[in-house]
Amino acid sequence: MKDKILTMLESMASHGTAPEEGCSLFGVGYNDAFSRLQKVYLKRRFDRGASAEKFVVGPFGSGKSHFLHHLMEIAREENCATAKVLLNKDVDFTQNLVVFKEICKEIRLPHSNQHGIGSMIQGMVENIKRQSDNPYTGDLLLKGWLSGLEQVDFRLTAYGKMLREACSAYLEDNRDRFDRLCQWLGGEMDNRELCKELQLSPVTAAEKNLHSKRAMFSLFQFVKHAGYQGTVVCFDEAEQGFAVDKKKMERIHSMLMANINSIVELNQGSVLMVYALTPDIISKMDAFAALQQRIADPAPNEGFFDGNTFAPLIDLTKRSDMLEDLREIGERLVQLMYEHFEEEMPVKRQTALERVHDMALRIVEQDFSSSTRRTMVKEVCTMLLRMYDDVDEAAAAQDFEEDEV
């Protein structure tokens, strides 16, 4: 645990970006938000097989990535599969097949650090086998589950069929066939050689968007059928992938609108798709009236942080007390460090807390914007690591505390 914490702090000191794991250890300011999302979406709506989309909005450094990582940690605790996709310049959001491949590459089950469609299928099969201590009963459970797959109304019938075959290939220890099936399930549906081997027709250019969207929804249905609560997919760094010309931006808006409609209509998919966006991208949606109306708050003072959990936009700039938020961030990081390294720290915990309080006030006075969260994280992590590493700091701290006496 100590090595994990040090690695996490070192990464945040360098870049101020949230780690993939551990955000719940020092997340502040959004306890109520996560509690409501957990109750309404990860539990209540997922129980009914319902799906939804959310848009987390904030400028650079406002904590969007931290919010997504923390939400995914909570989702995994609720027995959900998760996937984080970086919508950078290499990922063309207007190509559903490209996006689908990224989801398949990044998907992971709860209680697992392995990513990818192959690891997911293996984990599901092994999880079902572990439900019984009796091998005979375990085999019966597996056969019943595989048989039940035939009854699932997959949005893409061929995808459901290949999922069943992949599970069977894994159980039969036919690794070559399992790997080839996972290639196709992971998005290689236009690979002619692979499709010929699997006796499937390759997807044509005209079919790619529709087939890949149906395959994606079938993947979510599969996760639900395997006994998991649902799936949370988070799209980060969209400001890079969405930095396109006007014509392509119109296509992106059109696809976002189509996705909202499709997600709402998805039967027994239980997926929450969350997009992290900067305010300028949201403002561009004003030109696409149908989309803007779908994501807008229903009325003034009816936004997410006003208590309306169903509001599509989660605007991180609408925080009531920035100074208090920064102080809490600093306090949580100090507490985390001292819980595991108090004996190694040359400065008393109270002294470190006083320093971060002063630091928070200085940062707010210099820059009263949402990006101060990243600045605070970088400065606090740097301070703590220097205390931990620097012998000169230890000597200086000892002299300081003796002078105080």
Side-chain angles (χ1 to χ4, degrees):
M1 185 63 174
K2 283 190 172 185
D3 287 345
K4 177 182 177 181
I5 290 172
L6 284 176
T7 300
M8 182 174 67
L9 292 175
E10 288 168 354
S11 176
M12 291 191 293
S14 298
H15 310 292
T17 52
E20 185 174 349
E21 299 281 354
C23 284
S24 58
L25 295 173
F26 61 94
V28 300
Y30 301 121
N31 291 340
D32 176 66
F34 289 128
S35 177
R36 289 190 284 128
L37 289 170
Q38 184 177 18
K39 177 182 177 182
V40 174
Y41 292 96
L42 305 185
K43 291 183 178 179
R44 199 165 72 195
R45 287 177 66 86
F46 278 11
D47 283 344
R48 299 198 304 266
S51 302
E53 287 189 313
K54 291 288 183 185
F55 299 85
V56 178
V57 184
F60 296 106
S62 59
K64 297 187 300 297
S65 295
H66 187 290
F67 193 96
L68 298 186
H69 289 173
H70 196 158
L71 177 61
M72 286 190 288
E73 283 188 45
I74 294 171
R76 288 190 289 271
E77 290 173 0
E78 289 293 333
N79 200 35
C80 296
T82 60
K84 178 189 173 185
V85 175
L86 298 179
L87 292 179
N88 52 38
K89 292 290 187 180
D90 298 325
V91 179
D92 187 349
F93 187 76
T94 64
Q95 301 295 322
N96 281 340
L97 185 58
V98 173
V99 176
F100 174 62
K101 286 180 178 180
E102 290 301 307
I103 292 174
C104 291
K105 189 188 303 179
E106 297 298 332
I107 197 162
R108 59 180 285 198
L109 296 178
H111 316 299
S112 171
N113 292 321
Q114 301 296 314
H115 297 76
I117 194 84
S119 296
M120 183 198 75
I121 292 173
Q122 293 178 51
M124 287 176 171
V125 172
E126 294 300 329
N127 182 56
I128 293 171
K129 288 168 67 174
R130 284 194 298 267
Q131 291 179 16
S132 174
D133 295 330
N134 187 312
Y136 176 75
T137 305
D139 287 342
L140 288 179
L141 286 171
L142 270 173
K143 288 178 181 178
W145 177 67
L146 286 172
S147 177
L149 283 173
E150 298 178 4
Q151 309 304 318
V152 178
D153 184 22
F154 286 109
R155 294 297 297 272
L156 185 64
T157 304
Y159 199 82
K161 179 183 177 182
M162 292 299 103
L163 282 168
R164 291 193 297 273
E165 292 196 17
C167 292
S168 297
Y170 174 71
L171 287 170
E172 295 164 2
D173 201 25
N174 188 341
R175 190 71 203 191
D176 288 341
R177 180 162 176 77
F178 176 75
D179 290 342
R180 299 295 274 171
L181 286 163
C182 286
Q183 274 186 264
W184 189 90
L185 291 167
E188 297 291 330
M189 302 168 182
D190 55 348
N191 185 321
R192 291 183 176 276
E193 180 182 342
L194 177 63
C195 289
K196 182 178 180 181
E197 181 182 333
L198 298 177
Q199 298 182 334
L200 293 169
S201 299
V203 175
T204 64
E207 298 171 326
K208 279 184 181 179
N209 270 351
L210 180 60
H211 271 62
S212 52
K213 179 183 285 190
R214 289 177 176 173
M216 178 177 67
F217 291 160
S218 298
L219 175 63
F220 302 147
Q221 290 175 305
F222 179 60
V223 171
K224 186 70 174 177
H225 180 73
Y228 295 89
Q229 181 71 357
T231 307
V232 174
V233 179
C234 293
F235 296 97
D236 203 3
E237 299 185 9
E239 63 274 2
Q240 296 184 40
F242 286 8
V244 294
D245 58 47
K246 183 179 178 182
K247 186 174 182 180
K248 197 160 190 176
M249 196 66 207
E250 289 176 353
R251 289 183 61 194
I252 289 174
H253 288 159
S254 180
M255 296 190 77
L256 282 171
M257 183 66 190
N259 285 347
I260 291 174
N261 293 333
S262 300
I263 286 291
V264 170
E265 296 170 1
L266 178 60
N267 181 39
Q268 292 302 310
S270 295
V271 60
L272 177 64
M273 304 190 82
V274 187
Y275 300 85
L277 305 173
T278 48
D280 61 303
I281 294 177
I282 292 294
S283 65
K284 290 177 182 178
M285 294 181 183
D286 291 340
F288 196 85
L291 177 60
Q292 195 277 334
Q293 291 170 11
R294 292 296 293 270
I295 67 173
D297 294 341
N301 301 318
E302 284 292 335
F304 183 86
F305 286 112
D306 296 312
N308 178 15
T309 308
F310 300 103
L313 289 183
I314 302 176
D315 191 344
L316 301 187
T317 64
K318 294 184 177 180
R319 303 295 301 133
S320 58
D321 193 335
M322 185 177 298
L323 177 59
E324 186 60 29
D325 274 359
L326 296 190
R327 283 178 172 170
E328 286 187 27
I329 288 172
E331 289 171 1
R332 288 292 292 273
L333 288 168
V334 168
Q335 300 295 2
L336 177 64
M337 188 72 173
Y338 275 75
E339 282 173 11
H340 296 87
F341 299 97
E342 185 146 19
E343 293 183 1
E344 294 96 325
M345 299 299 282
V347 174
K348 291 181 179 178
R349 187 184 302 219
Q350 186 57 39
T351 301
L353 289 170
E354 291 171 0
R355 290 188 186 183
V356 300
H357 287 173
D358 294 340
M359 191 183 294
L361 180 60
R362 173 177 53 78
I363 290 173
V364 168
E365 289 175 345
Q366 291 176 348
D367 179 18
F368 195 78
S369 70
S370 297
S371 61
T372 52
R373 292 176 70 95
R374 176 172 292 171
T375 303
M376 185 69 181
V377 168
K378 290 178 71 173
E379 290 201 23
V380 174
C381 290
T382 299
M383 180 194 78
L384 292 171
L385 289 170
R386 289 186 65 183
M387 288 178 181
Y388 177 77
D389 289 332
D390 198 336
V391 176
D392 294 332
E393 172 71 20
Q398 184 175 354
D399 292 341
F400 174 78
E401 292 182 1
E402 287 176 356
D403 291 341
E404 287 290 297
V405 175

